Amino acid sequence: MSQLTTLDVAQWHRPLDPAVTTNATRELEAGNVLFLPHLKFTLTDAEQRFLSPAWSDGKAKNVSYDPLAAQIRHTSAEGADRQQLAAMMARFAQQARELVSSLCPGYAQHLRWGLTSFRPVETRGRASSRRKDDTRVHVDAFASRPNQGLRILRVFCNVNPRGEPRVWELGEPFNAVAQRFRDCVAPQWPGSAWLIERLRITKGRRSAYDHIMLNLHDKSKLDDAYQQSTPKTRVEFPAQSTWIVFTDRVMHAALAGQFLLEQTVYLPVAAMQDERCAPLRILEQIYQRQLA
Ligand code: SIN
Ligand code: FE
């Protein structure tokens, strides 16, 4: 079962003792959540106005920002508002990446940018389908963005101004989920990965790894009996706290909460302290073949 490992870090960027960073990296890779109760993201007075669901475009729910292209999407904001919201998210992106680099210096040179997300809408009751319902425990896998085994590491910061926590559940170990749903993973049709790439359904080629991860995500979410019976631990991340987790390995669900900033970074398996902890390597053990 995934657990919280608490770290008393109060700055986004600070060189840390190697004993601390080795341990932090080990905990993350082992499938635990690094919880930083004293690390907060400070909004300027002017940015306080962004703490409202009105800034979502009403369709995507999450405002998203691409740090590489410096582009903001899925927001109702226009003109100066749009620029300032983008600047706030860019600042979070930068700090989140610096945090990962200080906690896991071995990753620093190998990290690749993912998207930044601002979630100003209450989580409870916002899902449109069971597959999209993040209140059901799951590992993350992106249908349109295959990642060939790259790790998905995410930095979350609860910026709720009313002191409300973000409530999560953590589920069973990855190995257990992978074993349990092994027989539910349909074979990948020959040529299908090529076709969905050609049709631009995916950005890049969906590997066997991506196919299995997507199946684990979908099959576990759609299985009501599994959702009810699987062991879960409830955790509350207080307002003004930060946590980091490899969401491609840790079973998680978000039950409640409003106003969250999240940064995704990708990490090649080869840059890990212990590659054997990667879902790619765990699945290759289970399926007895190369998957990416
Ligand atoms: C998720 O990654 O499943 C949702 C996390 C959150 O919005 O708190
Ligand atoms: Fe998720």
Side-chain angles (χ1 to χ4, degrees):
M1 198 84 147
S2 295
Q3 291 171 347
L4 294 195
T5 302
T6 304
L7 251 186
D8 189 13
V9 166
Q11 282 164 302
W12 292 89
H13 187 62
R14 197 170 59 121
L16 295 163
D17 195 85
V20 174
T21 60
T22 305
N23 191 48
T25 309
R26 187 190 312 113
E27 289 294 314
L28 277 175
E29 292 187 358
N32 292 321
V33 176
L34 268 193
F35 173 46
L36 313 172
H38 302 125
L39 184 61
K40 61 180 181 196
F41 180 73
T42 311
L43 274 66
T44 64
D45 287 345
E47 287 167 350
Q48 298 291 331
R49 73 185 194 284
F50 294 127
L51 298 173
S52 154
W55 300 104
S56 109
D57 70 359
K59 279 175 259 155
K61 305 273 171 76
N62 298 339
V63 179
S64 92
Y65 177 77
D66 179 345
L68 269 181
Q71 226 174 53
I72 190 167
R73 299 175 73 180
H74 306 305
T75 175
S76 60
E78 285 173 29
D81 288 336
R82 196 178 177 91
Q83 271 178 19
Q84 284 167 31
L85 181 54
M88 179 182 94
M89 293 177 73
R91 192 171 78 250
F92 177 74
Q94 205 58 49
Q95 295 191 353
R97 184 166 175 159
E98 283 172 2
L99 175 68
V100 173
S101 297
S102 358
L103 287 171
C104 311
Y107 295 175
Q109 298 306 311
H110 306 280
L111 294 172
R112 303 186 196 167
W113 281 117
L115 298 179
T116 319
S117 143
F118 174 49
R119 307 182 180 176
V121 180
E122 169 59 49
T123 299
R124 202 187 285 123
R126 65 169 216 172
S128 48
S129 71
R130 280 191 296 174
R131 196 174 269 116
K132 287 189 182 156
D133 187 355
D134 286 339
T135 68
R136 293 169 167 258
V137 283
H138 62 280
V139 285
D140 287 345
F142 304 132
S144 60
R145 292 168 183 269
N147 70 22
Q148 324 285 340
L150 281 181
R151 302 299 316 273
I152 304 174
L153 184 59
R154 297 184 127 170
V155 178
F156 298 89
C157 184
N158 181 357
V159 291
N160 187 289
R162 298 184 298 263
E164 295 163 356
R166 198 156 192 98
V167 184
W168 273 30
E169 276 174 343
L170 300 175
E172 63 180 348
F174 182 80
N175 197 58
V177 192
Q179 295 280 6
R180 185 181 310 252
F181 289 98
R182 196 203 140 114
D183 295 333
C184 307
V185 176
Q188 200 178 13
W189 291 102
S192 65
W194 172 84
L195 184 66
I196 56 178
E197 185 182 8
R198 273 302 291 269
L199 295 173
R200 309 230 173 144
I201 294 170
T202 58
K203 227 176 139 188
R205 191 64 57 93
R206 185 180 289 174
S207 63
Y209 170 77
D210 293 298
H211 175 75
I212 294 168
M213 290 297 286
L214 215 49
N215 269 269
L216 290 182
H217 172 273
D218 291 359
K219 299 276 155 57
S220 62
K221 271 191 179 175
L222 295 174
D223 188 333
D224 291 337
Y226 173 73
Q227 288 291 329
Q228 272 159 27
S229 63
T230 186
K232 286 173 280 200
T233 326
R234 183 185 166 97
V235 286
E236 295 199 355
F237 298 104
Q240 319 303 336
S241 72
T242 299
W243 61 106
I244 311 178
V245 50
F246 276 112
T247 56
D248 54 359
R249 163 157 177 169
V250 175
M251 287 293 275
H252 63 282
L255 302 191
Q258 188 177 9
F259 304 117
L260 180 84
L261 278 161
E262 177 265 325
Q263 178 64 45
T264 301
V265 288
Y266 297 103
L267 181 77
V269 165
M272 292 175 66
Q273 210 162 261
D274 185 354
E275 265 190 51
R276 290 169 303 178
C277 296
L280 175 64
R281 298 292 176 243
I282 296 171
L283 291 172
E284 284 179 339
Q285 275 292 321
I286 294 175
Y287 288 78
Q288 287 295 304
R289 62 189 169 100
Q290 197 182 332
L291 296 173

Coordinates of all heavy atoms in Angstrom, one line a residue, residues 178-252:
A178 N -1.6 -4.8 -11.5 CA -1.1 -5.3 -12.8 C -1.4 -6.8 -12.9 O -1.9 -7.3 -13.9 CB 0.4 -5.1 -12.9
Q179 N -1.2 -7.5 -11.8 CA -1.6 -9.0 -11.8 C -3.1 -9.2 -11.9 O -3.5 -10.0 -12.7 CB -1.1 -9.6 -10.5 CG 0.4 -9.6 -10.3 CD 1.2 -10.7 -11.1 OE1 0.5 -11.4 -11.9 NE2 2.5 -10.8 -10.9
R180 N -3.8 -8.4 -11.1 CA -5.3 -8.6 -11.1 C -5.9 -8.4 -12.5 O -6.8 -9.1 -12.8 CB -5.9 -7.7 -10.1 CG -7.4 -7.9 -9.8 CD -7.9 -6.8 -8.9 NE -7.1 -6.8 -7.7 CZ -7.5 -7.3 -6.5 NH1 -8.7 -7.8 -6.4 NH2 -6.7 -7.2 -5.4
F181 N -5.5 -7.4 -13.2 CA -6.1 -7.1 -14.5 C -5.4 -7.7 -15.7 O -5.8 -7.4 -16.8 CB -6.3 -5.6 -14.6 CG -7.3 -5.1 -13.7 CD1 -7.0 -4.5 -12.4 CD2 -8.7 -5.2 -14.0 CE1 -7.9 -4.0 -11.6 CE2 -9.7 -4.7 -13.1 CZ -9.3 -4.1 -11.9
R182 N -4.4 -8.5 -15.4 CA -3.6 -9.1 -16.5 C -4.5 -9.7 -17.6 O -4.3 -9.5 -18.8 CB -2.7 -10.1 -15.9 CG -1.6 -10.5 -16.8 CD -1.0 -11.9 -16.4 NE -0.8 -12.5 -17.7 CZ 0.4 -12.8 -18.2 NH1 1.5 -12.7 -17.4 NH2 0.6 -13.3 -19.4
D183 N -5.4 -10.5 -17.1 CA -6.2 -11.3 -18.1 C -7.3 -10.4 -18.8 O -8.0 -10.9 -19.7 CB -6.9 -12.5 -17.4 CG -5.8 -13.5 -17.0 OD1 -4.7 -13.5 -17.6 OD2 -6.0 -14.2 -16.0
C184 N -7.5 -9.2 -18.3 CA -8.5 -8.3 -18.9 C -7.9 -7.4 -20.0 O -8.6 -6.7 -20.7 CB -9.1 -7.3 -17.9 SG -9.7 -8.1 -16.4
V185 N -6.6 -7.5 -20.2 CA -5.9 -6.7 -21.2 C -6.1 -7.4 -22.6 O -5.5 -8.4 -22.8 CB -4.4 -6.4 -20.9 CG1 -3.8 -5.7 -22.0 CG2 -4.3 -5.7 -19.5
A186 N -6.9 -6.8 -23.4 CA -7.1 -7.3 -24.8 C -5.9 -7.2 -25.6 O -5.1 -6.3 -25.4 CB -8.3 -6.6 -25.4
P187 N -5.7 -8.1 -26.5 CA -4.5 -8.0 -27.4 C -4.5 -6.7 -28.2 O -5.6 -6.3 -28.5 CB -4.5 -9.2 -28.3 CG -5.7 -10.1 -27.8 CD -6.5 -9.3 -26.9
Q188 N -3.4 -6.2 -28.5 CA -3.3 -4.9 -29.3 C -3.4 -5.4 -30.8 O -2.6 -6.2 -31.2 CB -2.0 -4.2 -29.0 CG -1.9 -2.8 -29.4 CD -0.6 -2.2 -29.0 OE1 0.4 -2.9 -28.6 NE2 -0.5 -0.9 -29.0
W189 N -4.4 -4.9 -31.5 CA -4.5 -5.4 -32.9 C -3.3 -5.0 -33.7 O -2.8 -3.8 -33.6 CB -5.7 -4.7 -33.6 CG -7.0 -5.3 -33.0 CD1 -7.8 -4.6 -32.1 CD2 -7.6 -6.5 -33.3 NE1 -8.9 -5.4 -31.8 CE2 -8.8 -6.6 -32.5 CE3 -7.3 -7.6 -34.1 CZ2 -9.6 -7.7 -32.5 CZ3 -8.1 -8.7 -34.1 CH2 -9.3 -8.8 -33.3
P190 N -2.8 -5.9 -34.5 CA -1.6 -5.5 -35.4 C -2.0 -4.4 -36.3 O -3.1 -4.4 -36.8 CB -1.4 -6.8 -36.2 CG -2.1 -7.9 -35.6 CD -3.2 -7.3 -34.8
G191 N -1.2 -3.4 -36.3 CA -1.4 -2.2 -37.2 C -2.3 -1.1 -36.5 O -2.4 0.0 -37.0
S192 N -2.9 -1.5 -35.4 CA -3.8 -0.5 -34.8 C -3.0 0.8 -34.2 O -3.5 1.9 -34.4 CB -4.6 -1.1 -33.6 OG -3.7 -1.5 -32.6
A193 N -1.8 0.5 -33.7 CA -1.0 1.6 -33.2 C -0.6 2.6 -34.3 O -0.7 3.8 -34.2 CB 0.3 1.1 -32.5
W194 N -0.2 2.0 -35.5 CA 0.1 2.8 -36.6 C -1.1 3.6 -37.1 O -1.0 4.8 -37.4 CB 0.6 1.8 -37.8 CG 0.8 2.5 -39.1 CD1 1.9 3.2 -39.5 CD2 -0.1 2.6 -40.2 NE1 1.7 3.7 -40.7 CE2 0.5 3.3 -41.2 CE3 -1.4 2.1 -40.3 CZ2 -0.2 3.6 -42.4 CZ3 -2.1 2.4 -41.5 CH2 -1.4 3.1 -42.6
L195 N -2.3 2.9 -37.1 CA -3.5 3.6 -37.7 C -3.9 4.7 -36.8 O -4.2 5.8 -37.3 CB -4.6 2.5 -37.7 CG -5.9 3.1 -38.4 CD1 -5.7 3.4 -39.8 CD2 -7.0 2.0 -38.2
I196 N -3.9 4.5 -35.5 CA -4.4 5.6 -34.6 C -3.4 6.8 -34.6 O -3.8 7.9 -34.4 CB -4.8 5.2 -33.2 CG1 -3.6 4.5 -32.5 CG2 -6.0 4.3 -33.2 CD1 -3.9 4.1 -31.0
E197 N -2.1 6.5 -34.9 CA -1.2 7.6 -35.0 C -1.4 8.3 -36.3 O -1.5 9.6 -36.3 CB 0.2 7.0 -35.0 CG 1.3 8.1 -35.0 CD 2.7 7.6 -35.1 OE1 2.9 6.4 -35.2 OE2 3.6 8.4 -34.9
R198 N -1.7 7.6 -37.4 CA -2.0 8.2 -38.7 C -3.2 9.1 -38.6 O -3.3 10.2 -39.2 CB -2.2 7.1 -39.8 CG -1.0 6.6 -40.5 CD -0.3 7.7 -41.2 NE -0.9 8.3 -42.4 CZ -0.8 7.9 -43.6 NH1 0.0 6.9 -43.9 NH2 -1.4 8.5 -44.6
L199 N -4.2 8.6 -37.9 CA -5.5 9.3 -37.7 C -5.4 10.4 -36.7 O -6.4 11.1 -36.4 CB -6.6 8.3 -37.3 CG -7.0 7.3 -38.3 CD1 -8.0 6.3 -37.7 CD2 -7.6 7.9 -39.6
R200 N -4.2 10.6 -36.2 CA -3.9 11.6 -35.2 C -4.8 11.5 -33.9 O -5.1 12.4 -33.2 CB -4.2 13.0 -35.7 CG -3.4 13.2 -37.0 CD -2.6 14.5 -37.0 NE -1.8 14.5 -38.2 CZ -1.6 15.6 -38.9 NH1 -2.0 16.8 -38.4 NH2 -0.8 15.6 -40.0
I201 N -5.2 10.2 -33.6 CA -5.8 10.0 -32.4 C -4.8 10.0 -31.3 O -5.0 10.4 -30.2 CB -6.6 8.6 -32.4 CG1 -7.7 8.7 -33.5 CG2 -7.1 8.2 -31.0 CD1 -8.4 7.3 -33.8
T202 N -3.6 9.5 -31.6 CA -2.5 9.6 -30.7 C -1.4 10.5 -31.2 O -1.2 10.6 -32.5 CB -1.8 8.2 -30.4 OG1 -1.4 7.6 -31.6 CG2 -2.8 7.3 -29.7
K203 N -0.7 11.1 -30.3 CA 0.5 11.9 -30.7 C 1.7 11.0 -30.5 O 2.2 10.9 -29.4 CB 0.6 13.1 -29.7 CG 0.8 14.4 -30.4 CD 0.7 15.6 -29.4 CE 1.8 16.6 -29.7 NZ 2.0 17.6 -28.7
G204 N 2.1 10.3 -31.6 CA 3.2 9.3 -31.5 C 2.6 7.9 -31.4 O 1.4 7.7 -31.4
R205 N 3.5 6.9 -31.4 CA 3.1 5.5 -31.5 C 2.7 4.9 -30.1 O 3.5 5.1 -29.2 CB 4.3 4.8 -32.1 CG 4.0 3.3 -32.6 CD 2.9 3.2 -33.7 NE 3.3 4.0 -34.9 CZ 3.9 3.4 -35.9 NH1 4.3 2.2 -35.9 NH2 4.1 4.1 -37.0
R206 N 1.6 4.3 -30.1 CA 1.1 3.7 -28.8 C 1.9 2.3 -28.7 O 1.6 1.4 -29.5 CB -0.4 3.5 -28.8 CG -0.9 2.9 -27.5 CD -2.4 2.7 -27.4 NE -3.1 4.0 -27.4 CZ -4.5 4.1 -27.5 NH1 -5.2 3.0 -27.6 NH2 -5.0 5.2 -27.4
S207 N 2.8 2.2 -27.7 CA 3.5 1.0 -27.5 C 2.7 -0.1 -26.8 O 1.6 0.3 -26.2 CB 4.8 1.3 -26.7 OG 4.4 1.7 -25.4
A208 N 3.2 -1.3 -26.7 CA 2.5 -2.3 -25.9 C 2.4 -1.9 -24.5 O 1.4 -2.1 -23.8 CB 3.3 -3.6 -26.0
Y209 N 3.4 -1.2 -24.0 CA 3.4 -0.6 -22.6 C 2.2 0.4 -22.5 O 1.4 0.2 -21.5 CB 4.7 0.1 -22.3 CG 4.7 0.9 -21.0 CD1 4.8 0.3 -19.8 CD2 4.5 2.3 -21.1 CE1 4.7 1.0 -18.6 CE2 4.4 3.1 -19.9 CZ 4.5 2.4 -18.7 OH 4.4 3.1 -17.5
D210 N 2.1 1.3 -23.4 CA 1.0 2.3 -23.3 C -0.4 1.5 -23.4 O -1.3 1.9 -22.7 CB 1.1 3.3 -24.5 CG 2.3 4.2 -24.4 OD1 2.4 4.9 -23.4 OD2 3.2 4.1 -25.3
H211 N -0.5 0.5 -24.2 CA -1.7 -0.2 -24.4 C -2.1 -0.9 -23.0 O -3.2 -0.8 -22.6 CB -1.5 -1.3 -25.4 CG -2.7 -2.2 -25.6 ND1 -3.8 -1.8 -26.2 CD2 -2.9 -3.5 -25.2 CE1 -4.7 -2.8 -26.2 NE2 -4.1 -3.9 -25.6
I212 N -1.1 -1.5 -22.4 CA -1.4 -2.2 -21.1 C -1.8 -1.1 -20.0 O -2.7 -1.3 -19.3 CB -0.2 -3.0 -20.6 CG1 0.0 -4.2 -21.6 CG2 -0.4 -3.6 -19.2 CD1 1.3 -4.9 -21.4
M213 N -1.0 0.0 -20.0 CA -1.3 1.0 -19.0 C -2.7 1.6 -19.1 O -3.4 1.8 -18.2 CB -0.2 2.1 -19.0 CG 1.1 1.7 -18.5 SD 1.2 1.2 -16.8 CE 1.0 2.8 -16.0
L214 N -3.1 1.8 -20.4 CA -4.4 2.4 -20.7 C -5.5 1.4 -20.2 O -6.5 1.8 -19.7 CB -4.5 2.6 -22.2 CG -5.3 3.8 -22.6 CD1 -4.9 5.1 -21.9 CD2 -5.0 4.0 -24.1
N215 N -5.2 0.1 -20.5 CA -6.1 -1.0 -20.0 C -6.2 -1.0 -18.5 O -7.3 -1.1 -18.0 CB -5.7 -2.3 -20.6 CG -6.4 -2.6 -21.9 OD1 -7.4 -3.2 -22.0 ND2 -5.7 -2.2 -23.0
L216 N -5.1 -0.9 -17.8 CA -5.2 -0.9 -16.4 C -6.0 0.3 -15.9 O -6.8 0.1 -14.9 CB -3.7 -0.8 -15.8 CG -2.9 -2.1 -15.9 CD1 -1.5 -1.8 -15.2 CD2 -3.5 -3.3 -15.4
H217 N -5.7 1.4 -16.5 CA -6.5 2.6 -16.1 C -8.0 2.4 -16.3 O -8.8 2.7 -15.4 CB -6.0 3.8 -16.9 CG -6.8 5.1 -16.7 ND1 -7.9 5.3 -17.5 CD2 -6.7 6.1 -15.9 CE1 -8.5 6.5 -17.1 NE2 -7.8 7.0 -16.1
D218 N -8.4 2.0 -17.5 CA -9.8 1.9 -17.8 C -10.5 0.7 -17.1 O -11.5 0.9 -16.5 CB -10.0 1.7 -19.3 CG -9.6 2.9 -20.1 OD1 -9.2 3.9 -19.5 OD2 -9.7 2.8 -21.4
K219 N -9.9 -0.4 -17.1 CA -10.5 -1.6 -16.6 C -10.7 -1.5 -15.0 O -11.7 -1.9 -14.5 CB -9.7 -2.9 -16.9 CG -9.5 -3.2 -18.4 CD -10.7 -3.9 -18.9 CE -11.0 -3.8 -20.4 NZ -10.0 -4.1 -21.3
S220 N -9.7 -0.9 -14.4 CA -9.9 -0.7 -12.9 C -10.9 0.3 -12.6 O -11.7 0.2 -11.7 CB -8.5 -0.4 -12.3 OG -8.1 0.9 -12.8
K221 N -11.0 1.4 -13.4 CA -12.0 2.4 -13.1 C -13.4 1.9 -13.4 O -14.4 2.2 -12.7 CB -11.8 3.7 -14.0 CG -10.9 4.7 -13.3 CD -10.9 6.0 -14.1 CE -10.0 7.1 -13.5 NZ -10.0 8.3 -14.4
L222 N -13.5 1.1 -14.4 CA -14.9 0.6 -14.9 C -15.4 -0.5 -14.0 O -16.6 -0.9 -14.1 CB -14.8 0.2 -16.3 CG -14.5 1.3 -17.3 CD1 -14.4 0.7 -18.8 CD2 -15.6 2.3 -17.3
D223 N -14.6 -1.1 -13.2 CA -14.9 -2.3 -12.4 C -15.5 -1.9 -11.0 O -14.7 -1.6 -10.1 CB -13.7 -3.2 -12.2 CG -14.0 -4.5 -11.6 OD1 -15.0 -4.6 -10.8 OD2 -13.2 -5.5 -11.9
D224 N -16.8 -1.8 -10.9 CA -17.5 -1.3 -9.7 C -17.1 -2.2 -8.5 O -16.8 -1.7 -7.4 CB -19.0 -1.3 -9.8 CG -19.5 -0.3 -10.8 OD1 -18.7 0.7 -11.0 OD2 -20.6 -0.4 -11.4
A225 N -17.1 -3.5 -8.7 CA -16.8 -4.4 -7.6 C -15.3 -4.2 -7.1 O -15.1 -4.1 -5.9 CB -16.9 -5.9 -8.0
Y226 N -14.4 -4.0 -8.1 CA -13.0 -3.7 -7.7 C -12.9 -2.4 -6.9 O -12.3 -2.4 -5.8 CB -12.1 -3.7 -8.9 CG -10.7 -3.2 -8.6 CD1 -9.8 -4.1 -7.9 CD2 -10.3 -1.9 -8.9 CE1 -8.6 -3.7 -7.6 CE2 -9.0 -1.5 -8.5 CZ -8.2 -2.4 -7.9 OH -6.9 -2.0 -7.5
Q227 N -13.6 -1.4 -7.4 CA -13.5 -0.1 -6.8 C -14.1 -0.2 -5.3 O -13.5 0.5 -4.4 CB -14.4 0.9 -7.6 CG -13.7 1.4 -8.9 CD -12.4 2.2 -8.7 OE1 -12.3 2.9 -7.7 NE2 -11.5 2.1 -9.6
Q228 N -15.1 -1.0 -5.1 CA -15.6 -1.1 -3.8 C -14.8 -1.9 -2.8 O -14.6 -1.6 -1.7 CB -17.0 -1.7 -3.8 CG -18.1 -0.6 -4.0 CD -19.4 -1.1 -4.6 OE1 -19.7 -2.2 -4.4 NE2 -20.1 -0.2 -5.3
S229 N -14.2 -3.0 -3.4 CA -13.5 -3.9 -2.5 C -12.0 -3.7 -2.3 O -11.4 -4.1 -1.3 CB -13.7 -5.4 -3.0 OG -13.1 -5.5 -4.3
T230 N -11.4 -3.0 -3.2 CA -9.9 -2.8 -3.1 C -9.6 -2.0 -1.9 O -10.3 -1.0 -1.5 CB -9.4 -2.1 -4.4 OG1 -7.9 -2.1 -4.3 CG2 -9.9 -0.7 -4.6
P231 N -8.5 -2.3 -1.2 CA -8.1 -1.6 0.0 C -7.7 -0.2 -0.4 O -7.0 0.0 -1.4 CB -6.9 -2.4 0.6 CG -6.4 -3.3 -0.5 CD -7.6 -3.5 -1.4
K232 N -8.1 0.8 0.4 CA -7.8 2.2 0.1 C -7.5 2.9 1.4 O -8.1 2.6 2.5 CB -9.0 2.9 -0.5 CG -9.3 2.5 -2.0 CD -10.5 3.1 -2.5 CE -11.7 2.2 -2.1 NZ -12.9 2.3 -2.9
T233 N -6.6 3.9 1.4 CA -6.3 4.7 2.5 C -6.7 6.1 2.1 O -6.3 6.6 1.1 CB -4.8 4.8 2.8 OG1 -4.2 3.6 2.5 CG2 -4.6 5.2 4.3
R234 N -7.4 6.8 3.0 CA -7.8 8.2 2.7 C -6.7 9.1 3.2 O -6.2 8.9 4.3 CB -9.1 8.4 3.5 CG -9.8 9.8 3.3 CD -11.0 9.9 4.2 NE -11.4 11.2 4.3 CZ -12.4 11.7 3.6 NH1 -13.1 11.0 2.7 NH2 -12.8 13.0 3.8
V235 N -6.4 10.1 2.4 CA -5.4 11.1 2.9 C -5.9 12.5 2.6 O -6.6 12.7 1.5 CB -4.0 10.9 2.3 CG1 -3.3 9.7 2.8 CG2 -4.0 10.8 0.8
E236 N -5.6 13.4 3.5 CA -6.1 14.8 3.2 C -4.8 15.6 3.1 O -4.0 15.7 4.0 CB -6.9 15.2 4.4 CG -8.2 14.5 4.5 CD -9.3 15.2 5.3 OE1 -9.0 16.3 5.9 OE2 -10.4 14.7 5.4
F237 N -4.7 16.3 2.0 CA -3.6 17.2 1.8 C -4.1 18.6 2.1 O -5.0 19.2 1.4 CB -3.1 17.2 0.4 CG -2.6 15.8 0.0 CD1 -3.3 15.0 -0.8 CD2 -1.3 15.4 0.4 CE1 -2.8 13.7 -1.2 CE2 -0.8 14.1 0.1 CZ -1.6 13.3 -0.8
P238 N -3.6 19.2 3.2 CA -4.1 20.5 3.7 C -3.9 21.6 2.7 O -3.0 21.5 1.8 CB -3.3 20.8 5.0 CG -2.6 19.5 5.3 CD -2.5 18.7 4.1
A239 N -4.7 22.7 2.8 CA -4.4 23.8 2.0 C -3.0 24.3 2.3 O -2.5 24.2 3.4 CB -5.5 24.9 2.4
Q240 N -2.4 24.9 1.2 CA -1.0 25.4 1.3 C 0.0 24.3 1.5 O 1.1 24.5 2.2 CB -0.8 26.4 2.4 CG -1.9 27.4 2.5 CD -2.2 28.2 1.2 OE1 -1.3 28.3 0.4 NE2 -3.4 28.7 1.1
S241 N -0.3 23.1 1.1 CA 0.7 22.0 1.1 C 1.0 21.5 -0.3 O 0.2 21.7 -1.2 CB 0.3 20.9 2.1 OG -0.7 20.1 1.5
T242 N 2.1 20.8 -0.4 CA 2.6 20.2 -1.7 C 2.9 18.8 -1.6 O 3.3 18.3 -0.5 CB 3.8 21.0 -2.1 OG1 3.5 22.4 -2.2 CG2 4.4 20.5 -3.4
W243 N 2.6 18.0 -2.6 CA 3.0 16.6 -2.6 C 3.4 16.2 -4.0 O 3.1 16.8 -5.0 CB 1.9 15.7 -2.0 CG 0.6 15.7 -2.8 CD1 0.1 14.7 -3.5 CD2 -0.4 16.7 -2.7 NE1 -1.2 15.1 -4.0 CE2 -1.5 16.3 -3.5 CE3 -0.5 18.0 -2.1 CZ2 -2.7 17.0 -3.7 CZ3 -1.7 18.7 -2.3 CH2 -2.7 18.3 -3.0
I244 N 4.3 15.1 -4.0 CA 4.8 14.7 -5.3 C 4.6 13.2 -5.4 O 4.8 12.4 -4.4 CB 6.4 14.9 -5.3 CG1 6.7 16.4 -5.0 CG2 6.9 14.6 -6.7 CD1 8.1 16.7 -4.9
V245 N 4.3 12.7 -6.6 CA 4.0 11.3 -6.7 C 4.2 10.8 -8.2 O 3.9 11.5 -9.1 CB 2.6 11.0 -6.1 CG1 1.5 11.9 -6.7 CG2 2.1 9.5 -6.4
F246 N 4.7 9.6 -8.3 CA 4.7 9.0 -9.6 C 3.3 8.4 -9.9 O 3.0 7.3 -9.4 CB 5.7 7.8 -9.7 CG 7.1 8.2 -10.0 CD1 8.1 8.1 -9.0 CD2 7.5 8.7 -11.2 CE1 9.4 8.5 -9.3 CE2 8.8 9.0 -11.5 CZ 9.8 8.9 -10.5
T247 N 2.5 9.1 -10.6 CA 1.1 8.7 -10.7 C 0.9 7.6 -11.7 O -0.3 7.1 -11.9 CB 0.2 9.9 -11.1 OG1 0.7 10.4 -12.3 CG2 0.1 10.9 -10.0
D248 N 1.9 7.2 -12.4 CA 1.8 6.0 -13.3 C 2.0 4.7 -12.5 O 1.8 3.6 -13.0 CB 2.8 6.1 -14.4 CG 4.3 6.2 -13.9 OD1 4.5 6.3 -12.7 OD2 5.2 6.3 -14.8
R249 N 2.4 4.8 -11.2 CA 2.6 3.6 -10.4 C 1.7 3.6 -9.2 O 1.2 2.5 -8.8 CB 4.0 3.6 -10.0 CG 4.3 2.6 -8.9 CD 5.6 2.1 -8.7 NE 5.6 1.3 -7.5 CZ 6.5 0.4 -7.1 NH1 7.6 0.3 -7.8 NH2 6.4 -0.3 -6.0
V250 N 1.4 4.8 -8.6 CA 0.6 4.8 -7.4 C -0.9 4.9 -7.7 O -1.4 5.8 -8.4 CB 1.0 6.1 -6.6 CG1 0.1 6.2 -5.3 CG2 2.5 6.0 -6.2
M251 N -1.7 3.9 -7.2 CA -3.1 4.0 -7.4 C -3.6 5.1 -6.5 O -3.4 5.2 -5.3 CB -3.7 2.6 -6.9 CG -3.5 1.5 -7.8 SD -4.3 1.6 -9.4 CE -5.9 1.0 -9.0
H252 N -4.4 6.0 -7.2 CA -4.9 7.2 -6.5 C -6.2 7.6 -7.0 O -6.6 7.3 -8.1 CB -3.8 8.3 -6.7 CG -3.7 8.8 -8.1 ND1 -3.0 8.0 -9.0 CD2 -4.2 9.8 -8.8 CE1 -3.1 8.6 -10.2 NE2 -3.8 9.7 -10.1

